Amino acid sequence: MAVGILEVDLISGKGLKGSEFFGKIDPYVEIHYKGQTRKSSVDKDGGRNPTWNEKLKWRAEFPGSGGDYKLIVKVMDHDTFSADDPIGEATIYVKELLEMGVEKGTAELRPTKYNVVDTDLSFVGEILLGVSYSVMQDRGMDGEEFGGWKHSQFD
């Protein structure tokens, strides 16, 4: 099993539809991966076309427990005086990215537009993001070099 860092480069959104009475939305993104959630900042100025330019990171094992190798990207509208409203979500499958990262040490999905859909699968905008995975180097003692000689375990 390989352990690495799964990183999302959250860039922007476009044409996001909100349910606000006055039409202005304050969007942010929650991204879920295997029980771990990361949250972006709220873009109070971008409205329906927000810009985040943020990097969000997770510790990821591959192969790990369960088979749900996907990022659930939930776009939310921040409300000051009531509960935040969901705008929609996108699902990004990352199993192949993780497989390639384990094989080559690193792998990347270049920034791509993903459709954001609401609960009845209606299109409610786009989100632009990239995803990468880098395997962390093993920090064990086996085979590490110390002053020109290799430390090894004797049985």
Side-chain angles (χ1 to χ4, degrees):
M1 172 172 43
V3 177
I5 300 296
L6 183 64
E7 180 176 284
V8 171
D9 185 8
L10 177 62
I11 300 169
S12 62
K14 183 177 179 186
L16 299 176
K17 296 177 182 166
S19 59
E20 287 299 306
F21 180 71
F22 295 110
K24 184 178 181 312
I25 61 172
D26 298 317
Y28 69 92
V29 174
E30 286 181 357
I31 304 178
H32 304 268
Y33 177 73
K34 288 189 174 272
Q36 304 174 65
T37 302
R38 301 292 182 269
K39 189 173 165 180
S40 75
S41 61
V42 176
D43 184 345
K44 293 196 173 285
D45 301 321
R48 299 184 186 293
N49 301 302
T51 300
W52 291 287
N53 288 324
E54 294 180 30
K55 294 190 185 305
L56 306 170
K57 297 180 182 183
W58 292 259
R59 181 180 187 273
E61 298 176 348
F62 187 82
S65 61
D68 55 339
Y69 297 102
K70 61 186 174 184
L71 295 164
I72 306 293
V73 181
K74 294 186 177 187
V75 183
M76 304 290 290
D77 178 15
H78 174 72
D79 288 328
T80 303
F81 301 110
S82 62
D84 294 352
D85 300 316
I87 293 173
E89 68 180 53
T91 302
I92 301 162
Y93 295 92
V94 295
K95 183 177 181 184
E96 289 80 15
L97 175 78
L98 298 175
E99 287 172 343
M100 189 176 296
V102 168
E103 183 181 314
K104 297 184 177 189
T106 186
E108 176 184 16
L109 294 173
R110 296 206 178 271
T112 303
K113 289 179 184 174
Y114 295 92
N115 288 341
V116 177
V117 296
D118 63 13
T119 53
D120 68 358
L121 302 181
S122 297
F123 176 82
V124 291
E126 298 174 340
I127 193 158
L128 177 65
L129 58 84
V131 185
S132 64
Y133 179 69
S134 300
V135 175
M136 293 191 303
Q137 296 304 312
D138 184 14
R139 291 192 171 88
M141 294 292 286
D142 267 353
E144 260 188 63
E145 292 196 22
F146 292 98
W149 60 277
K150 285 193 176 204
H151 173 82
S152 60
Q153 280 185 298
F154 297 101
D155 293 289

